[in-house]
Amino acid sequence: MLLQYILNGLAIGMAYALVAVGYSLVFGILRLINFSHGSIYAFGAHMVFVFVGMNFGVWAGIAASIILTGLLGVAIDKVALKPLRKKNSIPIASLITTIGVSYIIQNLLMVFLGSERKSFPDFMNFGSFMVSGVQLKSSQIVLFSVSFVLLVVLSVVIHKTKIGLAMRAVEQNSRAASLMGIEVNSVISFTFFLGGASAAIAGALMAAYYQLVYPTMGFLLGLKAFAAAVLGGIGVLYGSVVGGLVVGVTESLAMGYLGGTYRDAAAFIILIVILIIKPTGLFGKKGITKV
């Protein structure tokens, strides 16, 4: 049973990692915790639901949702956060703004699409099979594989491309990057688009995994993904992946051995324990002072 729980946790953990990367990307560039990210994730899942309902088909619906959700991320930055940066507002103002944006997105989803839980297309279910006494579901394999490939693609974009080099330059010193001719605002917009796109994919995968979509679906998952990002060391891409896997496996083990009641608490207990031992997270760097 232990191996079964671990495999279940790894599949969910990769999806947490995909959402956690969005937190890390924005934090790395702006030193800001984007608390609207969970609602962006819910928005992405709902857009797939809407596009599939309009007979786009699942894959075209996901593609359209990725673009639309990425643009939502850019719009949040342009409309709500960029004006605060221009006025050199205190960091807590941006933090509170992202919380407000989160509730606005949630409420708009409720107004236009309803607050009830809606059935989501189960496009990842191709059956299940047994390997050495362990049951593997096709939905778990697809969830893990797609998340893994996307995380590799994100890593390549950040570490092997020109825009990735610009992102790392802005992360190190935005003023120096600007003096070197880098369009800092364009880099920030691209970062929000990347975070929104990854959240949309994670939203589609998780909605298909549970076959449900609802406006508040991003609240708890967003908190867990944020915990994963902090656990790995927020701002560190591979740290978010490790953090997501730790949270996913911990949650699965807690559900298996202690029951579903303790499922959600377990992830935060392990987070608190690790932060007491290592306050910067598993791979975090010292000297981060702003939020």
Side-chain angles (χ1 to χ4, degrees):
M1 290 303 290
L2 176 63
L3 184 57
Q4 180 74 67
Y5 293 144
I6 291 174
L7 289 175
N8 293 346
L10 288 176
I12 297 293
M14 285 302 282
Y16 289 160
L18 200 54
V19 181
V21 163
Y23 284 103
S24 279
L25 285 173
V26 172
F27 185 87
I29 297 292
L30 294 177
R31 293 294 184 267
L32 167 71
I33 298 169
N34 180 15
F35 277 117
S36 66
H37 198 59
S39 292
I40 294 173
Y41 156 88
F43 177 87
H46 275 80
M47 288 305 101
V48 177
F49 175 78
V50 169
F51 286 126
V52 169
M54 295 168 65
N55 295 321
F56 271 55
V58 171
W59 303 113
I62 292 174
S65 174
I66 290 170
I67 295 170
L68 199 58
T69 311
L71 293 176
L72 173 66
V74 175
I76 290 171
D77 175 56
K78 295 289 186 189
V79 174
L81 299 175
K82 189 178 176 183
L84 295 175
R85 286 200 301 276
K86 277 187 174 178
K87 293 183 177 179
N88 290 321
S89 300
I90 55 176
I92 193 71
S94 298
L95 189 71
I96 292 171
T97 298
T98 63
I99 294 173
V101 169
S102 174
Y103 279 100
I104 290 170
I105 294 171
Q106 268 187 36
N107 288 347
L108 287 176
L109 288 175
M110 289 179 186
V111 168
F112 289 103
L113 298 173
S115 58
E116 71 279 6
R117 294 180 177 226
K118 298 168 278 290
S119 180
F120 193 86
D122 184 14
F123 62 86
M124 301 193 301
N125 186 8
F126 306 107
S128 61
F129 53 91
M130 301 292 290
V131 178
S132 302
V134 177
Q135 185 186 39
L136 288 174
K137 296 178 184 175
S138 62
S139 56
Q140 291 175 317
I141 296 172
V142 172
L143 182 60
F144 183 91
S145 303
V146 173
S147 300
F148 178 77
V149 169
L150 287 170
L151 288 168
V152 171
V153 170
L154 278 174
S155 182
V156 169
V157 168
I158 292 168
H159 293 101
K160 301 292 182 183
T161 66
K162 204 170 180 179
I163 184 66
L165 181 63
M167 289 170 69
R168 284 181 283 137
V170 173
E171 179 183 355
Q172 293 296 319
N173 190 320
S174 60
R175 183 169 295 179
S178 179
L179 290 173
M180 294 298 291
I182 294 173
E183 290 288 340
V184 174
N185 284 325
S186 298
V187 171
I188 292 172
S189 294
F190 179 77
T191 303
F192 272 89
F193 183 88
L194 214 52
S198 61
I201 297 169
L205 292 173
M206 290 297 274
Y209 186 74
Y210 291 115
Q211 300 168 44
L212 280 175
V213 65
Y214 50 97
T216 56
M217 63 185 284
F219 178 71
L220 187 57
L221 188 137
L223 286 179
K224 289 179 184 177
F226 173 63
V230 174
L231 183 62
I234 192 162
V236 182
L237 192 65
Y238 58 86
S240 298
V241 177
V242 174
L245 294 176
V246 170
V247 170
V249 171
T250 303
E251 181 181 295
S252 179
L253 291 173
M255 188 167 65
Y257 289 111
L258 302 176
T261 309
Y262 301 95
R263 171 185 170 181
D264 296 327
F268 296 101
I269 291 172
I270 192 76
L271 169 70
I272 292 168
V273 171
I274 288 182
L275 288 183
I276 289 172
I277 298 169
K278 197 171 186 305
T280 56
L282 294 173
F283 306 100
K285 301 168 186 174
K286 292 181 179 178
I288 295 173
T289 55
K290 295 190 292 182
V291 294

